[in-house]
């Protein structure tokens, strides 16, 4: 995940993600836990609801089965693929953890689809890759990662020794046919998307024909290529970038070949189960993001938004009382500066300062500012309103340390100067509890904690009611999630 942290945000994010970690850690054992000791006081309460007792039995002895979840099979091949992939990133990853991850994901994914549906879970598909395309790509990437050598040997036996040997024809596409799908080139568009009629016409345009070994002949159409694109790819198609179109068609053929080879090698049901496991993994990630887990603290989340509207003033006040240190801010600084006309002079003065020269003496000698004769004294700078750039520079500087020379932000026709700043004293304070900053941050944090708690409760309920049968022979360590006790 990518989390943007500024100012006091690291502490706020740690709080907001505490319950998320309690929820996600059993599912993703490769996540770093180096920072958990610092979060222990807030993490322990969040862990309390995780002690659900699943109805776990160990009756399975079929080597092809890893588990049955409410009677439905989870294949050992899928668990093994998850485990082997995890070991590529973490040599200590266990097969037991991979099995538990798959079991919990199956329960959560089933509930998520019933509760929210595909459209809500994957609302970003208008600009991103479609969910089914992402799952197919993950499936192909995993199979390539695990069976790359065998796949390479199989491809060397193809005509010409490469995937190009599968292509039997590449029909020329008439510009008029593309116009019928995308409209005339150069048109201004608000959205690069095809309607049902355009998709039907795209389905009739063949980009390439192929023949899979010991398999059926087929064709990749313009519609097939379109469905595999994100918004940037669709823009390229609308722009008639033929190289992009042909490249994407061949990538689609490569994915088809990997799945065809895997189906021949392991069986259609086995490959379908692995794809389902990856689909469920993505669905759970979408469910977490829907609850504000795993995304930026400022990112939109429907559940967090709904809960934010319900956060009371008393809850905000209580959050501020318990986490006042998270709202620490600089109240004022006492600073001095040296203003210099160019970088060469600025670097020369900075060198003298690093050698121990007196700041005030150098300010009186070199500074072009009006306060040079007072040693560059800026006095006390208050943190209020919108500070100018020099004040912002002073607020960002550590007490007692001389800054590097900083070029002033000026317009293209203005002459820049260089500033060196020294903060002699800094006074810290706290955000006003009635400020908009406190209201926004506290509301968001409280709502995210509630959202994570809701998700943890759902997980507890699903585990508490599920019937799970495990093949004990696959375990390489005791189960931690499925066998937990309250």
């Amino acid at each position: 995940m990518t989390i943007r942290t500024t100012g006091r945000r690291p502490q706020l994010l740690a709080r907001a993600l505490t319950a998320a970690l309690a929820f996600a850690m059993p599912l993703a054992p490769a996540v770093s836990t180096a920072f958990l000791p610092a979060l222990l006081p807030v993490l322990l309460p969040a862990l309390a609801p995780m002690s659900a007792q699943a109805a776990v039995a160990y009756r399975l002895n079929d080597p092809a089965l890893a588990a049955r979840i409410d009677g439905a099979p989870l294949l050992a091949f899928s668990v093994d693929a998850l485990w082997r992939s995890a070991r590529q990133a973490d040599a200590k990853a266990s097969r037991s953890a991979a099995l538990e991850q798959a079991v919990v994901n199956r329960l959560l994914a089933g509930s998520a689809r019933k509760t929210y549906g595909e459209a809500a879970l994957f609302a970003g598909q208008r600009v991103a890759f479609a969910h089914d395309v992402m799952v197919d790509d993950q499936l192909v990437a995993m199979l390539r990662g695990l069976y790359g050598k065998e796949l390479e040997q199989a491809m060397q036996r193809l005509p010409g020794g490469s995937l190009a040997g599968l292509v039997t024809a590449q029909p020329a596409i008439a510009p008029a046919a593309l116009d019928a799908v995308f409209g005339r080139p150069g048109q201004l568009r608000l959205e690069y998307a095809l309607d049902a009629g355009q998709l039907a016409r795209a389905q009739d345009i063949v980009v390439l024909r192929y023949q899979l070994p010991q398999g059926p002949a087929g064709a990749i159409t313009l519609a097939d290529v379109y469905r595999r694109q994100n918004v940037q790819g669709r823009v390229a198609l609308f722009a008639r970038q033929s190289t992009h179109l042909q490249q994407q068609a061949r990538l689609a053929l490569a994915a088809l070949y990997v799945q065809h080879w895997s189906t021949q090698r392991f069986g259609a049901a086995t490959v379908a189960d692995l794809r389902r496991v990856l689909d469920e993994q993505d669905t759970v990630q979408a469910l977490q993001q829907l609850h504000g887990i795993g995304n930026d603290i400022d990112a939109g989340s429907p559940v967090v938004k709904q809960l934010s509207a319900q956060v009371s003033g008393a809850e905000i006040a209580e959050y501020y009382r318990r986490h006042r240190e998270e709202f620490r801010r600089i109240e004022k600084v006492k600073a001095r500066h040296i203003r210099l006309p160019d970088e060469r002079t600025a670097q020369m003065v900075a060198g003298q300062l690093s050698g121990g020269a007196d700041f005030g003496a150098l300010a009186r000698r070199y500074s072009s500012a009006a306060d040079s004769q007072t040693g560059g004294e800026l006095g006390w700078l208050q943190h209020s309103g919108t500070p100018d750039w020099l004040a912002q520079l002073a607020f960002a500087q550590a007490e007692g340390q001389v800054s590097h020379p900083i070029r002033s932000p000026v317009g293209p026709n203005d002459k820049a100067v260089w500033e060196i700043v020294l903060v002699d004293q800094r006074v810290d304070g706290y955000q006003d509890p009635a400020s908009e900053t406190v209201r926004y941050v506290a509301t968001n944090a409280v709502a995210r904690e509630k959202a994570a708690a809701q998700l943890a409760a759902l997980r507890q309920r699903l585990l508490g009611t599920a019937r799970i049968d495990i093949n004990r022979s696959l375990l390489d360590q005791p189960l931690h999630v499925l066998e937990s006790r309250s």
Side-chain angles (χ1 to χ4, degrees):
M1 65 185 78
T2 297
I3 302 175
R4 175 162 50 85
T5 58
T6 59
R8 306 301 293 177
R9 290 298 179 86
Q11 295 96 317
L12 298 176
L13 284 166
R15 286 282 312 161
L17 292 176
T18 293
L21 285 170
F23 168 81
M25 288 296 293
L27 307 185
V31 174
S32 171
T33 60
F35 58 91
L36 287 182
L39 297 179
L40 206 54
V42 292
L43 182 59
L44 289 177
L47 284 171
M50 303 311 298
S51 55
Q53 173 58 44
V56 178
Y58 296 91
R59 296 183 296 263
L60 291 183
N61 53 25
D62 184 345
L65 291 179
R68 284 191 179 277
I69 305 148
D70 292 328
L74 171 65
L75 300 188
F77 178 88
S78 299
V79 172
D80 235 34
L82 287 178
W83 172 58
R84 291 170 60 193
S85 295
R87 282 176 57 85
Q88 292 175 353
D90 179 8
K92 296 181 180 180
S94 72
R95 185 189 279 114
S96 297
L99 190 155
E100 288 190 300
Q101 173 185 346
V103 170
V104 175
N105 281 355
R106 182 151 296 183
L107 294 172
L108 282 170
S111 174
R113 289 190 177 278
K114 290 178 182 178
T115 303
Y116 298 101
E118 178 94 4
L121 287 167
F122 303 102
Q125 290 186 358
R126 291 174 66 87
V127 295
F129 293 101
H131 170 61
D132 62 330
V133 171
M134 293 182 67
V135 174
D136 283 340
D137 286 348
Q138 290 174 39
L139 172 65
V140 169
M142 179 173 282
L143 291 168
R144 279 176 166 167
L146 297 176
Y147 303 101
K149 290 183 179 179
E150 292 181 60
L151 275 164
E152 185 65 31
Q153 292 171 357
M155 283 190 288
Q156 289 174 358
R157 293 192 292 269
L158 296 175
S162 73
L163 288 175
L166 301 177
V167 179
T168 59
Q170 288 183 270
I173 303 175
L178 293 176
D179 289 346
V181 174
F182 299 118
R184 293 190 178 279
Q187 289 180 330
L188 183 63
R189 303 179 186 280
L190 296 177
E191 187 177 30
Y192 290 87
L194 300 181
D195 60 28
Q198 291 170 306
L199 274 174
R201 290 189 287 274
Q203 189 64 46
D204 293 333
I205 298 175
V206 174
V207 181
L208 63 80
R209 299 187 185 278
Y210 62 85
Q211 174 67 58
L212 294 172
Q214 292 84 51
I220 293 174
T221 69
L222 180 57
D224 297 327
V225 173
Y226 172 83
R227 290 190 184 99
R228 291 179 53 84
Q229 306 303 299
N230 63 3
V231 66
Q232 290 88 354
R234 295 197 294 271
V235 169
L237 292 180
F238 271 84
R240 313 294 204 277
Q241 294 181 13
S242 59
T243 301
H244 176 78
L245 174 59
Q246 294 297 330
Q247 179 191 50
Q248 292 298 308
R250 288 178 178 270
L251 287 175
L253 177 58
L256 284 173
Y257 174 75
V258 171
Q259 294 185 62
H260 172 73
W261 177 87
S262 302
T263 298
Q264 288 189 318
R265 174 81 163 75
F266 306 112
T270 299
V271 175
D273 189 73
L274 178 56
R275 189 190 186 283
R276 178 182 179 183
V277 165
L278 296 175
D279 186 353
E280 291 162 345
Q281 184 173 275
D282 272 16
T283 301
V284 170
Q285 183 178 2
L287 178 65
Q288 291 173 337
Q289 291 177 346
L290 202 65
H291 285 74
I293 298 172
N295 56 13
D296 189 288
I297 195 169
D298 293 317
S301 158
V303 175
V304 172
K305 182 178 179 180
Q306 181 181 27
L307 292 172
S308 292
Q310 301 167 12
V311 174
S312 67
E315 288 175 305
I316 294 172
E318 175 62 15
Y319 185 90
Y320 182 85
R321 186 189 67 79
R322 289 187 290 115
H323 310 293
R324 188 165 178 254
E325 286 303 309
E326 296 173 356
F327 298 98
R328 182 183 287 273
R329 55 170 278 174
I330 301 170
E331 291 288 344
K332 59 182 180 178
V333 296
K334 187 177 183 181
R336 292 179 281 167
H337 76 125
I338 303 174
R339 180 171 296 163
L340 300 153
D342 53 60
E343 184 176 11
R344 183 185 64 81
T345 307
Q347 295 294 349
M348 181 270 290
V349 172
Q352 293 185 40
L353 289 169
S354 64
D358 181 71
F359 192 96
L362 291 180
R364 285 187 288 271
R365 180 175 179 183
Y366 292 106
S367 181
S368 62
D371 51 32
S372 62
Q373 294 311 301
T374 61
E377 288 283 355
L378 292 170
W380 284 101
L381 303 174
Q382 301 288 334
H383 199 299
S384 60
T386 304
D388 61 31
W389 87 272
L390 184 57
Q392 292 181 43
L393 178 59
F395 287 130
Q397 186 63 25
E399 184 177 313
Q401 294 182 6
V402 177
S403 76
H404 296 293
I406 306 295
R407 184 182 185 275
S408 63
V410 295
N413 299 319
D414 299 324
K415 180 175 174 53
V417 295
W418 295 77
E419 296 278 5
I420 299 175
V421 173
L422 171 62
V423 172
D424 292 313
Q425 190 175 350
R426 189 173 79 175
V427 176
D428 286 348
Y430 298 91
Q431 294 277 1
D432 183 344
S435 69
E436 177 61 21
T437 297
V438 170
R439 187 205 65 79
Y440 172 79
V441 172
T443 297
N444 199 298
V446 170
R448 283 174 178 268
E449 288 176 353
K450 289 182 176 181
Q454 285 185 1
L455 202 50
L458 171 65
R459 179 179 180 275
Q460 179 188 24
R461 178 174 61 79
L462 292 173
L463 282 173
T465 58
R467 293 177 293 105
I468 301 170
D469 204 347
I470 300 293
N471 187 336
R472 193 187 295 272
S473 67
L474 290 183
L475 304 181
D476 51 7
Q477 65 179 35
L479 299 175
H480 296 297
V481 178
L482 302 181
E483 286 285 20
S484 62
R485 294 293 196 275
S486 56

